Amino acid sequence: MVERKNDPDDFGSAPGGVSRRGFLGSVVPAAVGVAVATEALGAPPKAAAPPAELPAAEPSKLTLVVNGRTHKVLVEPRDTLLVVLREKLGLTGTKPGCERGECGACSVLVDGVPRYSCLTLALEAEGREVTTVEGLMNGEELGPVQKAFVEEDAFQCGYCTPGQVIAAEGLLRANPEPTLDEIRLGMSGNLCRCGAYAHIFNAVGKAATLRKGR
């Protein structure tokens, strides 16, 4: 018969007593059971620490050149060019549409290139030439692209028309004599929910002719 040696974990055991091993063997499973039961009963978890508050950025002084005129405005770093044009400069020809760079209603020219003003921070436009639909007019006279849109009836509700005109102007500045396929490609970033695309393409072609005779 093999004699069992004394186990140091059995110290303090005696008839009717509890060893340390026995104590741990009964207490640990009980604690796990309590934790599981608490979770099952839907006890609310401990609240997470609130995120640290970031200090608000100070407004910045911005100098914008829009339609040949210089404007000095205070803007927040998050302000888009669309917001500044409409709300601070009163140039409401630039329309808010989807405000995520999909419809083109807010198009303006930045250094002669069409851009979505809803995706352009106002601070990005500092030191650059911005042209809105108002800037295509000669006083009270419509510009060639605007005239062509009127003559070709290239709109229905008219909401997207300022952006369409700006896109056409940018296209014709880069390519004065576009083909129909080039017109379609050049205008593809601007949506017309009324579906007046055939008239819009005709208007861009006519605008190219009017610009040559100007």
Short mmCIF file of all heavy atoms in Angstrom, two decimals, residues 87-133:
data_model
loop_
_atom_site.label_atom_id
_atom_site.label_comp_id
_atom_site.label_asym_id
_atom_site.label_seq_id
_atom_site.Cartn_x
_atom_site.Cartn_y
_atom_site.Cartn_z
N GLU A 87 -23.94 81.74 -47.41
CA GLU A 87 -24.34 82.34 -46.15
C GLU A 87 -23.53 83.57 -45.77
O GLU A 87 -24.03 84.42 -45.03
CB GLU A 87 -24.26 81.29 -45.04
CG GLU A 87 -25.20 80.11 -45.27
CD GLU A 87 -25.18 79.11 -44.13
OE1 GLU A 87 -24.55 79.40 -43.08
OE2 GLU A 87 -25.79 78.04 -44.28
N LYS A 88 -22.30 83.65 -46.24
CA LYS A 88 -21.49 84.81 -45.87
C LYS A 88 -21.37 85.83 -47.01
O LYS A 88 -21.22 87.03 -46.75
CB LYS A 88 -20.09 84.35 -45.41
CG LYS A 88 -20.12 83.52 -44.14
CD LYS A 88 -18.74 83.17 -43.65
CE LYS A 88 -18.79 82.32 -42.39
NZ LYS A 88 -19.34 83.03 -41.23
N LEU A 89 -21.40 85.35 -48.25
CA LEU A 89 -21.26 86.27 -49.39
C LEU A 89 -22.59 86.50 -50.12
O LEU A 89 -22.65 87.35 -51.01
CB LEU A 89 -20.20 85.75 -50.37
CG LEU A 89 -18.80 85.52 -49.78
CD1 LEU A 89 -17.83 85.13 -50.89
CD2 LEU A 89 -18.29 86.77 -49.06
N GLY A 90 -23.60 85.76 -49.79
CA GLY A 90 -24.92 85.96 -50.40
C GLY A 90 -25.02 85.54 -51.86
O GLY A 90 -25.94 85.95 -52.56
N LEU A 91 -24.12 84.67 -52.31
CA LEU A 91 -24.14 84.19 -53.69
C LEU A 91 -24.94 82.89 -53.73
O LEU A 91 -24.39 81.78 -53.71
CB LEU A 91 -22.71 84.00 -54.21
CG LEU A 91 -21.89 85.29 -54.27
CD1 LEU A 91 -20.42 84.98 -54.56
CD2 LEU A 91 -22.45 86.23 -55.32
N THR A 92 -26.24 83.02 -53.81
CA THR A 92 -27.13 81.87 -53.68
C THR A 92 -27.38 81.13 -54.99
O THR A 92 -28.17 80.19 -55.02
CB THR A 92 -28.48 82.31 -53.08
OG1 THR A 92 -29.03 83.35 -53.89
CG2 THR A 92 -28.29 82.84 -51.66
N GLY A 93 -26.71 81.55 -56.06
CA GLY A 93 -26.83 80.80 -57.31
C GLY A 93 -26.23 79.41 -57.18
O GLY A 93 -26.65 78.47 -57.87
N THR A 94 -25.26 79.26 -56.31
CA THR A 94 -24.66 77.94 -56.04
C THR A 94 -25.60 77.19 -55.11
O THR A 94 -25.86 77.63 -53.99
CB THR A 94 -23.27 78.11 -55.38
OG1 THR A 94 -22.46 78.93 -56.23
CG2 THR A 94 -22.59 76.77 -55.18
N LYS A 95 -26.10 76.04 -55.57
CA LYS A 95 -27.17 75.34 -54.86
C LYS A 95 -26.66 74.16 -54.03
O LYS A 95 -25.83 73.38 -54.51
CB LYS A 95 -28.22 74.82 -55.85
CG LYS A 95 -28.83 75.89 -56.74
CD LYS A 95 -29.56 76.95 -55.93
CE LYS A 95 -30.23 77.96 -56.84
NZ LYS A 95 -30.83 79.07 -56.06
N PRO A 96 -27.18 74.01 -52.81
CA PRO A 96 -26.91 72.77 -52.06
C PRO A 96 -27.80 71.67 -52.59
O PRO A 96 -29.00 71.86 -52.77
CB PRO A 96 -27.28 73.15 -50.62
CG PRO A 96 -28.31 74.22 -50.77
CD PRO A 96 -27.98 74.98 -52.04
N GLY A 97 -27.21 70.53 -52.88
CA GLY A 97 -27.98 69.40 -53.37
C GLY A 97 -27.82 68.23 -52.43
O GLY A 97 -28.36 68.22 -51.33
N CYS A 98 -27.05 67.24 -52.86
CA CYS A 98 -26.83 66.07 -52.01
C CYS A 98 -25.86 66.37 -50.88
O CYS A 98 -25.88 65.72 -49.84
CB CYS A 98 -26.28 64.92 -52.85
SG CYS A 98 -24.65 65.28 -53.56
N GLU A 99 -24.98 67.35 -51.10
CA GLU A 99 -23.93 67.74 -50.15
C GLU A 99 -22.98 66.59 -49.81
O GLU A 99 -22.45 66.51 -48.72
CB GLU A 99 -24.53 68.36 -48.88
CG GLU A 99 -25.30 69.64 -49.18
CD GLU A 99 -25.62 70.46 -47.95
OE1 GLU A 99 -24.67 70.81 -47.22
OE2 GLU A 99 -26.80 70.76 -47.73
N ARG A 100 -22.79 65.71 -50.78
CA ARG A 100 -21.79 64.65 -50.62
C ARG A 100 -21.08 64.35 -51.93
O ARG A 100 -20.58 63.25 -52.15
CB ARG A 100 -22.43 63.39 -50.04
CG ARG A 100 -23.60 62.84 -50.84
CD ARG A 100 -24.26 61.69 -50.12
NE ARG A 100 -25.36 61.12 -50.87
CZ ARG A 100 -26.18 60.19 -50.39
NH1 ARG A 100 -25.99 59.74 -49.17
NH2 ARG A 100 -27.16 59.72 -51.12
N GLY A 101 -21.07 65.31 -52.84
CA GLY A 101 -20.28 65.19 -54.06
C GLY A 101 -20.82 64.24 -55.09
O GLY A 101 -20.05 63.61 -55.80
N GLU A 102 -22.15 64.15 -55.22
CA GLU A 102 -22.73 63.23 -56.20
C GLU A 102 -23.58 63.92 -57.26
O GLU A 102 -23.67 63.42 -58.37
CB GLU A 102 -23.57 62.17 -55.48
CG GLU A 102 -22.75 61.22 -54.62
CD GLU A 102 -23.60 60.16 -53.96
OE1 GLU A 102 -24.83 60.19 -54.16
OE2 GLU A 102 -23.04 59.32 -53.25
N CYS A 103 -24.22 65.05 -56.92
CA CYS A 103 -25.20 65.62 -57.86
C CYS A 103 -24.65 66.77 -58.70
O CYS A 103 -25.13 67.01 -59.80
CB CYS A 103 -26.45 66.07 -57.12
SG CYS A 103 -26.25 67.56 -56.13
N GLY A 104 -23.69 67.53 -58.19
CA GLY A 104 -23.10 68.61 -58.96
C GLY A 104 -23.85 69.93 -58.91
O GLY A 104 -23.44 70.89 -59.55
N ALA A 105 -24.95 70.01 -58.14
CA ALA A 105 -25.71 71.26 -58.08
C ALA A 105 -24.89 72.41 -57.50
O ALA A 105 -25.14 73.58 -57.80
CB ALA A 105 -26.98 71.06 -57.25
N CYS A 106 -23.89 72.09 -56.70
CA CYS A 106 -23.09 73.11 -56.03
C CYS A 106 -21.81 73.45 -56.79
O CYS A 106 -20.92 74.11 -56.23
CB CYS A 106 -22.72 72.63 -54.62
SG CYS A 106 -21.57 71.22 -54.63
N SER A 107 -21.70 73.05 -58.04
CA SER A 107 -20.45 73.23 -58.79
C SER A 107 -20.06 74.70 -58.93
O SER A 107 -20.90 75.57 -59.18
CB SER A 107 -20.57 72.61 -60.18
OG SER A 107 -20.78 71.22 -60.11
N VAL A 108 -18.78 74.95 -58.75
CA VAL A 108 -18.19 76.27 -59.03
C VAL A 108 -16.88 76.03 -59.77
O VAL A 108 -16.39 74.90 -59.84
CB VAL A 108 -17.91 77.06 -57.73
CG1 VAL A 108 -19.21 77.35 -56.97
CG2 VAL A 108 -16.92 76.32 -56.83
N LEU A 109 -16.33 77.08 -60.32
CA LEU A 109 -15.00 76.98 -60.94
C LEU A 109 -13.96 77.45 -59.94
O LEU A 109 -14.11 78.51 -59.33
CB LEU A 109 -14.93 77.84 -62.20
CG LEU A 109 -15.87 77.47 -63.36
CD1 LEU A 109 -15.67 78.45 -64.52
CD2 LEU A 109 -15.64 76.04 -63.83
N VAL A 110 -12.93 76.66 -59.77
CA VAL A 110 -11.78 77.05 -58.95
C VAL A 110 -10.56 77.04 -59.88
O VAL A 110 -10.17 75.98 -60.38
CB VAL A 110 -11.57 76.10 -57.76
CG1 VAL A 110 -10.33 76.51 -56.97
CG2 VAL A 110 -12.79 76.10 -56.85
N ASP A 111 -10.05 78.23 -60.14
CA ASP A 111 -8.98 78.39 -61.14
C ASP A 111 -9.40 77.81 -62.49
O ASP A 111 -8.61 77.16 -63.19
CB ASP A 111 -7.68 77.74 -60.66
CG ASP A 111 -7.04 78.50 -59.49
OD1 ASP A 111 -7.38 79.69 -59.30
OD2 ASP A 111 -6.24 77.89 -58.76
N GLY A 112 -10.68 78.01 -62.81
CA GLY A 112 -11.19 77.60 -64.12
C GLY A 112 -11.61 76.15 -64.24
O GLY A 112 -12.08 75.74 -65.30
N VAL A 113 -11.48 75.39 -63.16
CA VAL A 113 -11.80 73.95 -63.20
C VAL A 113 -13.03 73.70 -62.33
O VAL A 113 -13.09 74.16 -61.18
CB VAL A 113 -10.62 73.11 -62.68
CG1 VAL A 113 -10.97 71.62 -62.69
CG2 VAL A 113 -9.38 73.37 -63.53
N PRO A 114 -14.05 72.98 -62.84
CA PRO A 114 -15.24 72.70 -62.02
C PRO A 114 -14.90 71.88 -60.78
O PRO A 114 -14.15 70.91 -60.85
CB PRO A 114 -16.15 71.91 -62.96
CG PRO A 114 -15.69 72.25 -64.34
CD PRO A 114 -14.20 72.46 -64.21
N ARG A 115 -15.48 72.30 -59.65
CA ARG A 115 -15.31 71.57 -58.40
C ARG A 115 -16.62 71.59 -57.63
O ARG A 115 -17.40 72.53 -57.73
CB ARG A 115 -14.20 72.19 -57.54
CG ARG A 115 -12.81 71.91 -58.06
CD ARG A 115 -11.74 72.34 -57.10
NE ARG A 115 -11.79 71.62 -55.84
CZ ARG A 115 -10.79 71.65 -54.94
NH1 ARG A 115 -9.70 72.36 -55.18
NH2 ARG A 115 -10.90 70.98 -53.82
N TYR A 116 -16.84 70.54 -56.85
CA TYR A 116 -17.99 70.51 -55.96
C TYR A 116 -17.68 71.37 -54.74
O TYR A 116 -16.80 71.04 -53.95
CB TYR A 116 -18.30 69.08 -55.51
CG TYR A 116 -18.67 68.11 -56.61
CD1 TYR A 116 -18.22 66.79 -56.56
CD2 TYR A 116 -19.46 68.51 -57.67
CE1 TYR A 116 -18.57 65.89 -57.56
CE2 TYR A 116 -19.81 67.61 -58.67
CZ TYR A 116 -19.36 66.31 -58.62
OH TYR A 116 -19.71 65.42 -59.60
N SER A 117 -18.43 72.44 -54.56
CA SER A 117 -18.14 73.32 -53.43
C SER A 117 -18.55 72.71 -52.10
O SER A 117 -18.07 73.13 -51.05
CB SER A 117 -18.82 74.68 -53.62
OG SER A 117 -20.22 74.56 -53.67
N CYS A 118 -19.43 71.69 -52.14
CA CYS A 118 -19.82 71.04 -50.89
C CYS A 118 -18.70 70.18 -50.32
O CYS A 118 -18.70 69.86 -49.13
CB CYS A 118 -21.09 70.21 -51.08
SG CYS A 118 -20.84 68.69 -52.04
N LEU A 119 -17.75 69.77 -51.17
CA LEU A 119 -16.62 68.95 -50.73
C LEU A 119 -15.32 69.75 -50.65
O LEU A 119 -14.26 69.16 -50.38
CB LEU A 119 -16.42 67.77 -51.69
CG LEU A 119 -17.54 66.73 -51.76
CD1 LEU A 119 -17.12 65.56 -52.63
CD2 LEU A 119 -17.93 66.24 -50.37
N THR A 120 -15.41 71.05 -50.86
CA THR A 120 -14.22 71.90 -50.83
C THR A 120 -14.27 72.78 -49.59
O THR A 120 -15.22 73.54 -49.40
CB THR A 120 -14.16 72.80 -52.08
OG1 THR A 120 -14.20 71.99 -53.26
CG2 THR A 120 -12.89 73.64 -52.08
N LEU A 121 -13.29 72.65 -48.72
CA LEU A 121 -13.23 73.53 -47.56
C LEU A 121 -12.94 74.95 -48.03
O LEU A 121 -12.16 75.18 -48.96
CB LEU A 121 -12.15 73.07 -46.59
CG LEU A 121 -12.41 71.74 -45.88
CD1 LEU A 121 -11.21 71.36 -45.02
CD2 LEU A 121 -13.67 71.82 -45.02
N ALA A 122 -13.58 75.91 -47.37
CA ALA A 122 -13.37 77.30 -47.75
C ALA A 122 -11.90 77.68 -47.67
O ALA A 122 -11.38 78.43 -48.52
CB ALA A 122 -14.21 78.22 -46.85
N LEU A 123 -11.20 77.16 -46.67
CA LEU A 123 -9.78 77.49 -46.51
C LEU A 123 -8.93 77.00 -47.67
O LEU A 123 -7.86 77.54 -47.94
CB LEU A 123 -9.26 76.91 -45.19
CG LEU A 123 -9.85 77.52 -43.91
CD1 LEU A 123 -9.39 76.75 -42.69
CD2 LEU A 123 -9.46 78.99 -43.79
N GLU A 124 -9.41 75.96 -48.38
CA GLU A 124 -8.67 75.46 -49.54
C GLU A 124 -8.69 76.45 -50.70
O GLU A 124 -7.84 76.36 -51.59
CB GLU A 124 -9.27 74.13 -50.02
CG GLU A 124 -9.13 72.97 -49.08
CD GLU A 124 -9.73 71.71 -49.68
OE1 GLU A 124 -9.08 71.11 -50.56
OE2 GLU A 124 -10.84 71.35 -49.28
N ALA A 125 -9.68 77.33 -50.71
CA ALA A 125 -9.85 78.23 -51.85
C ALA A 125 -9.06 79.53 -51.69
O ALA A 125 -9.08 80.37 -52.60
CB ALA A 125 -11.32 78.55 -52.04
N GLU A 126 -8.39 79.71 -50.58
CA GLU A 126 -7.64 80.96 -50.38
C GLU A 126 -6.52 81.07 -51.42
O GLU A 126 -5.79 80.10 -51.69
CB GLU A 126 -7.04 81.03 -48.98
CG GLU A 126 -6.37 82.36 -48.70
CD GLU A 126 -6.18 82.61 -47.22
OE1 GLU A 126 -6.08 81.63 -46.45
OE2 GLU A 126 -6.11 83.78 -46.82
N GLY A 127 -6.41 82.25 -52.03
CA GLY A 127 -5.38 82.48 -53.04
C GLY A 127 -5.73 81.93 -54.40
O GLY A 127 -4.89 81.94 -55.31
N ARG A 128 -6.96 81.46 -54.59
CA ARG A 128 -7.38 80.90 -55.86
C ARG A 128 -8.59 81.67 -56.38
O ARG A 128 -9.31 82.29 -55.61
CB ARG A 128 -7.69 79.41 -55.70
CG ARG A 128 -6.55 78.66 -55.04
CD ARG A 128 -6.86 77.21 -54.78
NE ARG A 128 -6.80 76.42 -56.00
CZ ARG A 128 -6.92 75.11 -56.04
NH1 ARG A 128 -7.12 74.44 -54.93
NH2 ARG A 128 -6.85 74.46 -57.18
N GLU A 129 -8.81 81.62 -57.68
CA GLU A 129 -9.91 82.35 -58.31
C GLU A 129 -11.15 81.47 -58.34
O GLU A 129 -11.16 80.41 -58.96
CB GLU A 129 -9.53 82.76 -59.73
CG GLU A 129 -10.64 83.45 -60.49
CD GLU A 129 -11.01 84.80 -59.91
OE1 GLU A 129 -10.10 85.53 -59.48
OE2 GLU A 129 -12.22 85.12 -59.90
N VAL A 130 -12.18 81.92 -57.65
CA VAL A 130 -13.44 81.19 -57.60
C VAL A 130 -14.46 81.90 -58.48
O VAL A 130 -14.61 83.12 -58.41
CB VAL A 130 -13.98 81.10 -56.16
CG1 VAL A 130 -15.32 80.37 -56.12
CG2 VAL A 130 -12.97 80.39 -55.26
N THR A 131 -15.15 81.13 -59.31
CA THR A 131 -16.19 81.70 -60.18
C THR A 131 -17.49 80.95 -59.95
O THR A 131 -17.54 79.72 -60.05
CB THR A 131 -15.80 81.58 -61.67
OG1 THR A 131 -14.53 82.20 -61.87
CG2 THR A 131 -16.85 82.26 -62.55
N THR A 132 -18.53 81.70 -59.62
CA THR A 132 -19.86 81.12 -59.46
C THR A 132 -20.69 81.45 -60.69
O THR A 132 -20.24 82.18 -61.59
CB THR A 132 -20.55 81.67 -58.21
OG1 THR A 132 -20.87 83.05 -58.40
CG2 THR A 132 -19.65 81.53 -56.98
N VAL A 133 -21.92 80.95 -60.73
CA VAL A 133 -22.77 81.19 -61.90
C VAL A 133 -23.04 82.69 -62.08
O VAL A 133 -23.20 83.16 -63.21
CB VAL A 133 -24.08 80.38 -61.79
CG1 VAL A 133 -24.97 80.92 -60.67
CG2 VAL A 133 -24.81 80.32 -63.11
#
